[in-house]
Amino acid sequence: MNASRSPLRRIRAAAMLLAAVPLALWAQQTPPKQHATEPEIKYQGAASPLAGEPMHQATNPKAPPMTQAEFDRARALYFERCAGCHGVLRKGATGKPLTPDLTTAKGTDYLKVFIAYGSPAGMPNWQTSGEMDEKTVDLMARYIQHDPPTPPEFGMPQMKATWKVIVPPDQRPKKKMNDYNIANIFSTTLRDSGQVALIDGDTKQIINIVNTGYAVHISRLSASGRYLYVIGRDAKINMIDLWMAKPDNVAEIRVGLEARSVDTSKYKGFEDKLAIAGAYWPPQFVIMDGNTLEPKKIVSTRGMTVDTQEFHPEPRVASIVASHFKPEFVVNVKETGKTLMVDYSNIDALKITEIGSARYLHDGGWDSSKRYFMVAANNSNKIAAIDAKDGKLKALTEVGKIPHPGRGANFTHPKFGPVWATSHLGDETIALLATDDKRKDAFKVVQSLKAQGGGSLFIKTHPKSSNLWVDTPLNPDAAISQSVAVFDIKNLDKGFKVLPIAEWAGLKDDGAKRVVQPEYNRAGDEVWFAVWSAKDKQSAIVVVDDKTLKLKAVIKDPRLITPTGHFNVHNTQHDVY
């Protein structure tokens, strides 16, 4: 290749070559698709807490030279933009492998084409979209030819070094020491401040701002409803006692370097006794004492994939729920596509039933009977129905593009009886799956609705409501991301109404104002929304009257920094959705 050519001309020349050469080393694992959509990029490209962790760095003599400063910058960029798809170890997750045995064979110019222009298999076009400049593309093309730096493991010694019992059990209140209606408290994630806001659902006042891990992913309740457990993306768990005069932390621990899920034992006789958390890195789950968070048992999830039966070194633990039928935790593992039914009745002789379904298991919720866990295999575009009573896969159903239900929505359809619904990140559809296991069409899509567009993260209703709410916070159209769609369950064919939630918030700055996660109060007559802007912009909580669809209240406070997910205590404790 002529050295006098400009870098951009070399990239273009490589692009022509790329079009003519079979991609044998990157054989298609899934049917070809168009470039990743903006909602997908926003979702998969969320920054990983691993960006700041010290890592072991190996030297690959075949890789192009990089200074230490270049390598450090590229590593940070990789964990901010790429690790969500390609994995911490670059072995491939929802994206293809980027290991040196593949990348060095292609060479720098060839790799720059992929990064700059994207690929039909879903790789974003980072340069032509304006997300990266030419120098950054060159930096990343060289970086992925080096051996991937390996984050440290995180075992029992590391966990115990982070474990703190702030208020020992024998020093905690023996009865509720406040006048709050605990069942109607909301736990709201303040993503970028590393906190949660506890908000009184009756008065709409902030009870306390509690320090937690970074970007709390979910809030879960103990069986009794007394203790609130939250987990940050940095794998820090905080245990909050709602009986205290001012509810606050009583214990904390880190269970890894990156994580998403936590829950507690719910089965009769085991209430509040155990907690469990799953990590993205290291790929493992941890069973802890439910009163103190003392780590008791660590189980790795590394193993073989459900489809190709190949070893995967980084199967991340996604959603975890507690069974209502047995003393079991339902643990969903993304990259291997397996659901693990973990019998916690004797953690010294742990029994695990492995159920294979589809790869990239992510989030989900119970059907109305609480027997079937409906979990989205998001990049396989499927919903798996896991039978918690019989311990088997009941069904695997094709739905729309990248289902992301949150916990989903249960309601009685006028024609099809009990259904569970999911919206999608990748398209505008809402899939309704029949959940009455006596029907011939059980666990099949019985109706598909169309809402505002792709980029939806959560869908919600309530047993006392006749409305179905759908958000679209990751849609690239601001008018869509700042509003919500609401369907009348009794008249689904009539389409949806659009409510301008961000406009109702009355925020005066130019923040993103993305509207996310409808959540009902305990009574089922209010729906709460987070209006989510950047950390240096004003955000708010908007409360809507579920019956009239009118604005009921707006909660504004300088401490409400990037509010995202929020969870009502009663509804979360009792799996009401």
Side-chain angles (χ1 to χ4, degrees), residues 172-238:
R172 296 173 195 167
K174 301 298 186 288
K175 62 180 181 178
K176 190 164 79 79
M177 302 300 292
N178 59 62
D179 295 327
Y180 300 119
N181 178 7
I182 286 179
N184 202 33
I185 288 176
F186 286 76
S187 172
T188 298
T189 295
L190 306 180
R191 175 189 166 91
D192 294 319
S193 64
Q195 297 170 317
V196 295
L198 301 180
I199 304 177
D200 187 327
D202 294 346
T203 66
K204 314 297 188 290
Q205 299 297 309
I206 294 176
I207 295 169
N208 196 14
I209 301 291
V210 181
N211 292 325
T212 62
Y214 167 72
V216 162
H217 193 68
I218 56 172
S219 299
R220 288 291 182 263
L221 272 297
S222 63
S224 66
R226 172 177 179 173
Y227 293 112
L228 176 71
Y229 300 78
V230 301
I231 188 165
R233 290 197 175 199
D234 57 1
K236 184 178 181 180
I237 302 172
N238 289 81

Coordinates of all heavy atoms in Angstrom, one line a residue, residues 172-238:
R172 N -30.3 -2.7 66.2 CA -31.3 -2.2 65.4 C -32.6 -2.1 66.1 O -32.8 -2.8 67.1 CB -31.4 -3.0 64.1 CG -30.2 -3.0 63.2 CD -30.3 -3.9 62.1 NE -28.9 -4.2 61.5 CZ -28.7 -5.1 60.6 NH1 -29.6 -6.0 60.2 NH2 -27.4 -5.3 60.2
P173 N -33.5 -1.2 65.6 CA -34.8 -1.1 66.3 C -35.6 -2.4 66.4 O -35.5 -3.3 65.5 CB -35.6 -0.1 65.4 CG -34.6 0.6 64.6 CD -33.4 -0.3 64.4
K174 N -36.3 -2.6 67.5 CA -37.1 -3.8 67.7 C -38.5 -3.6 67.2 O -39.3 -4.6 67.1 CB -37.2 -4.1 69.2 CG -35.8 -4.4 69.9 CD -35.1 -5.6 69.3 CE -33.8 -5.9 70.0 NZ -32.7 -4.9 69.7
K175 N -38.8 -2.4 66.8 CA -40.1 -2.1 66.2 C -39.9 -0.8 65.3 O -38.8 -0.2 65.4 CB -41.2 -1.8 67.3 CG -40.8 -0.5 68.1 CD -42.0 -0.3 69.1 CE -41.6 0.9 70.0 NZ -42.7 1.2 71.0
K176 N -40.8 -0.5 64.5 CA -40.7 0.6 63.6 C -40.7 1.9 64.4 O -41.5 2.2 65.2 CB -41.9 0.6 62.6 CG -41.8 1.6 61.5 CD -42.7 1.3 60.3 CE -44.1 1.8 60.6 NZ -44.3 3.3 60.4
M177 N -39.6 2.7 64.1 CA -39.4 3.9 64.9 C -39.8 5.2 64.1 O -39.4 6.3 64.5 CB -37.9 4.0 65.3 CG -37.4 2.8 66.1 SD -38.3 2.6 67.6 CE -37.7 4.0 68.5
N178 N -40.5 5.1 63.1 CA -41.0 6.3 62.3 C -42.4 6.2 62.0 O -43.1 5.1 62.2 CB -40.1 6.4 61.1 CG -40.2 5.2 60.1 OD1 -41.3 4.9 59.6 ND2 -39.1 4.5 59.9
D179 N -43.0 7.2 61.5 CA -44.4 7.3 61.2 C -44.7 7.1 59.7 O -45.8 7.4 59.2 CB -45.0 8.6 61.6 CG -45.0 8.7 63.2 OD1 -45.2 7.7 63.8 OD2 -44.9 9.8 63.7
Y180 N -43.6 6.8 58.9 CA -43.8 6.7 57.5 C -44.7 5.5 57.1 O -44.6 4.4 57.8 CB -42.4 6.5 56.8 CG -41.5 7.7 57.0 CD1 -40.3 7.5 57.7 CD2 -41.9 9.0 56.6 CE1 -39.5 8.6 57.9 CE2 -41.0 10.0 56.8 CZ -39.8 9.8 57.5 OH -39.0 10.9 57.7
N181 N -45.4 5.6 56.1 CA -46.2 4.5 55.5 C -45.1 3.7 54.6 O -45.0 4.0 53.4 CB -47.3 5.0 54.6 CG -48.1 3.9 53.9 OD1 -47.8 2.7 54.2 ND2 -49.0 4.2 53.0
I182 N -44.4 2.8 55.3 CA -43.3 2.2 54.6 C -43.7 1.5 53.3 O -42.9 1.5 52.3 CB -42.6 1.1 55.6 CG1 -41.9 1.9 56.7 CG2 -41.7 0.2 54.8 CD1 -41.2 0.9 57.7
A183 N -44.8 0.9 53.3 CA -45.3 0.2 52.1 C -45.4 1.1 50.8 O -45.4 0.6 49.7 CB -46.6 -0.5 52.3
N184 N -45.5 2.4 51.1 CA -45.6 3.3 49.9 C -44.4 4.2 49.7 O -44.5 5.3 49.1 CB -46.9 4.2 50.1 CG -47.4 4.8 48.7 OD1 -47.2 4.1 47.7 ND2 -47.9 6.0 48.8
I185 N -43.3 3.8 50.3 CA -42.0 4.5 50.0 C -41.5 4.1 48.6 O -41.6 2.9 48.2 CB -41.0 4.1 51.1 CG1 -41.3 4.8 52.4 CG2 -39.6 4.5 50.7 CD1 -40.4 4.5 53.6
F186 N -40.9 5.0 47.9 CA -40.2 4.8 46.6 C -38.7 4.8 46.8 O -38.2 5.8 47.5 CB -40.7 5.8 45.6 CG -42.1 5.6 45.0 CD1 -43.2 5.9 45.8 CD2 -42.3 5.0 43.8 CE1 -44.4 5.7 45.3 CE2 -43.5 4.8 43.3 CZ -44.6 5.2 44.1
S187 N -38.0 3.9 46.3 CA -36.5 3.9 46.3 C -36.1 4.3 44.9 O -36.3 3.6 43.9 CB -35.9 2.6 46.6 OG -34.5 2.5 46.4
T188 N -35.6 5.5 44.7 CA -35.3 6.1 43.4 C -33.8 6.2 43.2 O -33.1 6.8 44.0 CB -35.9 7.5 43.3 OG1 -37.3 7.4 43.3 CG2 -35.5 8.1 41.9
T189 N -33.3 5.6 42.2 CA -31.8 5.6 41.9 C -31.4 7.0 41.4 O -32.0 7.6 40.5 CB -31.5 4.7 40.7 OG1 -31.8 3.3 41.2 CG2 -30.1 4.8 40.3
L190 N -30.4 7.6 42.1 CA -29.7 8.8 41.6 C -28.4 8.4 41.0 O -27.4 8.3 41.7 CB -29.5 9.8 42.8 CG -30.8 10.1 43.6 CD1 -30.5 11.0 44.8 CD2 -31.9 10.6 42.7
R191 N -28.5 8.1 39.7 CA -27.5 7.4 39.0 C -26.1 7.9 39.2 O -25.2 7.2 39.6 CB -27.9 7.3 37.5 CG -26.8 6.7 36.6 CD -27.2 6.9 35.2 NE -26.0 6.6 34.3 CZ -25.8 5.4 33.8 NH1 -26.6 4.4 34.1 NH2 -24.7 5.2 33.1
D192 N -25.9 9.2 38.9 CA -24.5 9.7 38.8 C -24.0 10.3 40.1 O -22.8 10.6 40.2 CB -24.4 10.8 37.8 CG -24.6 10.2 36.4 OD1 -24.1 9.2 36.1 OD2 -25.3 10.9 35.6
S193 N -24.8 10.3 41.2 CA -24.3 10.8 42.5 C -24.0 9.6 43.4 O -23.5 9.8 44.5 CB -25.3 11.7 43.2 OG -26.5 11.0 43.5
G194 N -24.3 8.3 42.9 CA -24.0 7.2 43.8 C -24.9 7.2 45.0 O -24.4 7.0 46.1
Q195 N -26.2 7.4 44.8 CA -27.1 7.5 46.0 C -28.5 6.9 45.5 O -28.8 6.7 44.3 CB -27.3 8.9 46.4 CG -26.0 9.6 46.9 CD -26.2 11.0 47.2 OE1 -26.8 11.8 46.3 NE2 -25.7 11.5 48.3
V196 N -29.4 6.7 46.5 CA -30.8 6.5 46.3 C -31.6 7.5 47.1 O -31.2 7.8 48.2 CB -31.3 5.1 46.5 CG1 -30.6 4.1 45.6 CG2 -31.1 4.7 48.0
A197 N -32.7 8.0 46.5 CA -33.6 8.8 47.3 C -34.7 8.0 47.8 O -35.4 7.3 47.0 CB -34.1 10.0 46.4
L198 N -35.0 8.0 49.1 CA -36.2 7.4 49.6 C -37.3 8.5 49.7 O -37.1 9.5 50.4 CB -35.9 6.8 51.0 CG -34.7 5.8 51.1 CD1 -34.6 5.3 52.5 CD2 -35.0 4.6 50.1
I199 N -38.3 8.3 49.0 CA -39.4 9.3 48.8 C -40.7 8.8 49.4 O -41.1 7.6 49.1 CB -39.6 9.7 47.4 CG1 -38.2 10.2 46.8 CG2 -40.6 10.8 47.2 CD1 -38.3 10.5 45.3
D200 N -41.3 9.6 50.2 CA -42.6 9.2 50.8 C -43.7 9.3 49.8 O -44.0 10.4 49.2 CB -42.9 10.2 52.0 CG -44.2 9.8 52.8 OD1 -45.1 9.3 52.2 OD2 -44.2 10.1 54.0
G201 N -44.3 8.2 49.4 CA -45.3 8.2 48.4 C -46.6 8.9 48.7 O -47.4 9.3 47.9
D202 N -46.8 9.1 50.0 CA -48.0 9.8 50.5 C -47.8 11.3 50.4 O -48.7 12.0 49.9 CB -48.4 9.4 51.9 CG -48.8 7.9 52.0 OD1 -49.1 7.3 51.0 OD2 -48.9 7.4 53.2
T203 N -46.7 11.8 51.0 CA -46.5 13.2 51.0 C -45.7 13.8 49.9 O -45.6 15.0 49.7 CB -45.8 13.6 52.3 OG1 -44.5 13.0 52.3 CG2 -46.5 13.1 53.6
K204 N -45.0 12.9 49.1 CA -44.2 13.3 48.0 C -42.9 14.0 48.5 O -42.2 14.7 47.7 CB -44.9 14.1 47.0 CG -46.3 13.6 46.6 CD -46.2 12.3 45.9 CE -47.6 11.9 45.3 NZ -48.6 11.6 46.3
Q205 N -42.5 13.8 49.8 CA -41.3 14.4 50.3 C -40.2 13.4 50.4 O -40.4 12.2 50.6 CB -41.6 14.9 51.8 CG -42.7 16.0 51.8 CD -42.4 17.3 51.1 OE1 -41.3 17.8 51.3 NE2 -43.3 17.7 50.2
I206 N -39.0 13.9 50.2 CA -37.8 13.1 50.3 C -37.5 12.8 51.8 O -37.4 13.7 52.6 CB -36.6 13.7 49.7 CG1 -36.8 13.9 48.2 CG2 -35.3 12.9 50.0 CD1 -35.7 14.6 47.5
I207 N -37.5 11.5 52.1 CA -37.2 11.0 53.5 C -35.7 11.1 53.8 O -35.3 11.6 54.9 CB -37.8 9.6 53.7 CG1 -39.3 9.6 53.6 CG2 -37.3 9.0 55.1 CD1 -39.8 8.2 53.5
N208 N -34.9 10.6 52.9 CA -33.5 10.6 53.1 C -32.8 10.3 51.7 O -33.4 9.7 50.9 CB -33.1 9.5 54.1 CG -31.7 9.6 54.6 OD1 -31.1 10.7 54.4 ND2 -31.1 8.6 55.2
I209 N -31.6 10.8 51.6 CA -30.7 10.5 50.5 C -29.6 9.6 51.0 O -28.9 10.0 51.9 CB -30.1 11.8 49.9 CG1 -31.2 12.8 49.4 CG2 -29.2 11.4 48.8 CD1 -32.0 12.3 48.2
V210 N -29.6 8.4 50.6 CA -28.7 7.4 51.1 C -27.6 7.1 50.2 O -27.8 6.9 49.0 CB -29.5 6.1 51.4 CG1 -28.6 5.0 52.0 CG2 -30.7 6.3 52.3
N211 N -26.3 7.1 50.7 CA -25.2 6.9 49.9 C -25.1 5.4 49.6 O -25.3 4.5 50.4 CB -23.9 7.3 50.7 CG -23.8 8.8 50.8 OD1 -24.2 9.5 50.0 ND2 -23.3 9.2 52.0
T212 N -24.8 5.1 48.3 CA -24.8 3.7 47.8 C -23.6 3.5 46.8 O -22.7 4.4 46.8 CB -26.1 3.4 47.1 OG1 -26.2 4.3 45.9 CG2 -27.3 3.6 48.0
G213 N -23.7 2.5 46.1 CA -22.7 2.3 45.0 C -23.1 3.2 43.8 O -24.1 3.9 43.8
Y214 N -22.2 3.1 42.7 CA -22.5 4.0 41.5 C -23.6 3.4 40.7 O -23.7 2.2 40.5 CB -21.2 4.0 40.7 CG -21.4 4.6 39.3 CD1 -21.7 6.0 39.1 CD2 -21.4 3.8 38.2 CE1 -22.0 6.5 37.9 CE2 -21.6 4.3 36.9 CZ -21.9 5.6 36.8 OH -22.2 6.1 35.5
A215 N -24.5 4.2 40.2 CA -25.6 3.9 39.3 C -26.3 2.6 39.7 O -26.3 1.6 39.1 CB -25.0 3.6 37.9
V216 N -27.0 2.7 40.9 CA -27.8 1.6 41.4 C -28.7 1.1 40.3 O -29.4 1.8 39.6 CB -28.6 2.1 42.6 CG1 -29.7 1.1 42.9 CG2 -27.7 2.2 43.8
H217 N -28.6 -0.2 40.1 CA -29.3 -0.9 39.0 C -30.7 -1.3 39.4 O -31.7 -1.0 38.7 CB -28.6 -2.1 38.5 CG -29.1 -2.6 37.2 ND1 -29.0 -1.9 36.0 CD2 -29.8 -3.7 36.8 CE1 -29.5 -2.6 35.0 NE2 -30.0 -3.7 35.5
I218 N -30.9 -1.8 40.6 CA -32.2 -2.2 41.1 C -32.3 -2.1 42.6 O -31.3 -2.0 43.3 CB -32.6 -3.7 40.7 CG1 -31.5 -4.7 41.3 CG2 -32.8 -3.9 39.3 CD1 -31.9 -6.1 41.1
S219 N -33.5 -2.0 43.1 CA -33.8 -2.1 44.5 C -34.7 -3.3 44.8 O -35.6 -3.5 44.0 CB -34.5 -0.8 45.0 OG -33.8 0.4 44.8
R220 N -34.4 -4.0 45.8 CA -35.2 -5.2 46.2 C -35.5 -5.2 47.7 O -34.7 -4.7 48.4 CB -34.4 -6.5 45.8 CG -34.4 -6.7 44.3 CD -35.7 -7.0 43.7 NE -35.7 -7.3 42.3 CZ -36.0 -6.4 41.4 NH1 -36.3 -5.2 41.7 NH2 -36.0 -6.7 40.1
L221 N -36.6 -5.8 48.0 CA -37.0 -5.9 49.4 C -36.8 -7.3 50.0 O -36.9 -8.3 49.3 CB -38.5 -5.5 49.5 CG -38.8 -4.0 49.6 CD1 -38.3 -3.4 50.9 CD2 -38.3 -3.2 48.4
S222 N -36.6 -7.3 51.3 CA -36.7 -8.5 52.1 C -38.1 -9.0 52.1 O -39.0 -8.3 51.8 CB -36.1 -8.3 53.5 OG -37.0 -7.4 54.2
A223 N -38.3 -10.3 52.4 CA -39.6 -10.9 52.5 C -40.5 -10.1 53.4 O -41.7 -10.0 53.2 CB -39.6 -12.4 52.8
S224 N -40.0 -9.6 54.5 CA -40.8 -8.9 55.5 C -41.1 -7.5 55.1 O -42.0 -6.9 55.7 CB -40.0 -8.9 56.8 OG -38.8 -8.1 56.7
G225 N -40.4 -7.0 54.1 CA -40.6 -5.6 53.7 C -39.8 -4.6 54.6 O -39.9 -3.4 54.4
R226 N -39.0 -5.1 55.6 CA -38.3 -4.2 56.4 C -37.0 -3.7 55.8 O -36.7 -2.5 55.9 CB -37.9 -4.9 57.8 CG -37.0 -4.0 58.6 CD -36.7 -4.7 60.0 NE -35.8 -3.8 60.7 CZ -35.5 -4.0 62.0 NH1 -35.9 -5.1 62.6 NH2 -34.6 -3.2 62.6
Y227 N -36.3 -4.6 55.1 CA -35.0 -4.2 54.6 C -35.0 -4.0 53.1 O -35.6 -4.8 52.3 CB -33.9 -5.3 54.9 CG -33.6 -5.4 56.4 CD1 -34.0 -6.5 57.1 CD2 -33.0 -4.4 57.1 CE1 -33.8 -6.7 58.5 CE2 -32.7 -4.5 58.4 CZ -33.1 -5.7 59.1 OH -32.8 -5.8 60.5
L228 N -34.4 -2.9 52.7 CA -34.2 -2.6 51.3 C -32.8 -2.9 50.9 O -31.8 -2.4 51.5 CB -34.6 -1.1 51.0 CG -34.4 -0.5 49.6 CD1 -35.4 -1.1 48.7 CD2 -34.4 1.0 49.7
Y229 N -32.6 -3.6 49.8 CA -31.3 -4.0 49.3 C -31.1 -3.3 47.9 O -32.0 -3.5 47.0 CB -31.1 -5.5 49.1 CG -31.2 -6.3 50.4 CD1 -32.5 -6.5 50.9 CD2 -30.1 -6.7 51.1 CE1 -32.6 -7.3 52.1 CE2 -30.3 -7.5 52.3 CZ -31.5 -7.7 52.8 OH -31.7 -8.5 53.9
V230 N -30.0 -2.6 47.7 CA -29.7 -2.0 46.4 C -28.3 -2.4 46.0 O -27.4 -2.6 46.8 CB -29.9 -0.4 46.5 CG1 -31.3 0.0 46.9 CG2 -28.8 0.2 47.4
I231 N -28.1 -2.5 44.7 CA -26.8 -2.8 44.1 C -26.4 -1.9 43.0 O -27.2 -1.6 42.1 CB -26.8 -4.3 43.6 CG1 -25.4 -4.7 43.3 CG2 -27.8 -4.5 42.5 CD1 -25.2 -6.2 43.1
G232 N -25.2 -1.3 43.1 CA -24.7 -0.4 42.1 C -24.0 -1.2 41.0 O -23.6 -2.4 41.1
R233 N -23.7 -0.5 39.9 CA -23.0 -1.1 38.8 C -21.6 -1.5 39.2 O -20.9 -2.3 38.6 CB -23.0 -0.2 37.6 CG -24.4 -0.1 36.9 CD -24.3 0.4 35.5 NE -25.6 0.4 34.9 CZ -25.8 0.4 33.6 NH1 -24.8 0.5 32.8 NH2 -27.0 0.4 33.1
D234 N -21.1 -0.8 40.3 CA -19.7 -1.1 40.8 C -19.8 -2.3 41.8 O -18.8 -2.5 42.4 CB -19.1 0.1 41.4 CG -20.0 0.7 42.6 OD1 -21.1 0.1 42.9 OD2 -19.6 1.7 43.2
A235 N -20.9 -3.0 41.8 CA -21.1 -4.2 42.6 C -21.1 -4.0 44.1 O -21.0 -4.9 44.9 CB -20.0 -5.3 42.3
K236 N -21.4 -2.8 44.5 CA -21.6 -2.5 45.9 C -23.0 -2.6 46.3 O -23.9 -2.1 45.6 CB -21.1 -1.0 46.2 CG -21.2 -0.7 47.7 CD -20.7 0.8 47.9 CE -20.8 1.1 49.4 NZ -20.3 2.5 49.7
I237 N -23.3 -3.4 47.4 CA -24.6 -3.6 47.9 C -24.8 -2.8 49.2 O -23.9 -2.9 50.0 CB -24.9 -5.1 48.2 CG1 -24.7 -6.0 46.9 CG2 -26.3 -5.3 48.7 CD1 -24.7 -7.5 47.2
N238 N -25.9 -2.2 49.3 CA -26.2 -1.5 50.5 C -27.5 -2.0 51.1 O -28.5 -2.3 50.3 CB -26.4 0.0 50.3 CG -25.1 0.7 50.0 OD1 -24.6 0.6 48.9 ND2 -24.5 1.3 51.0

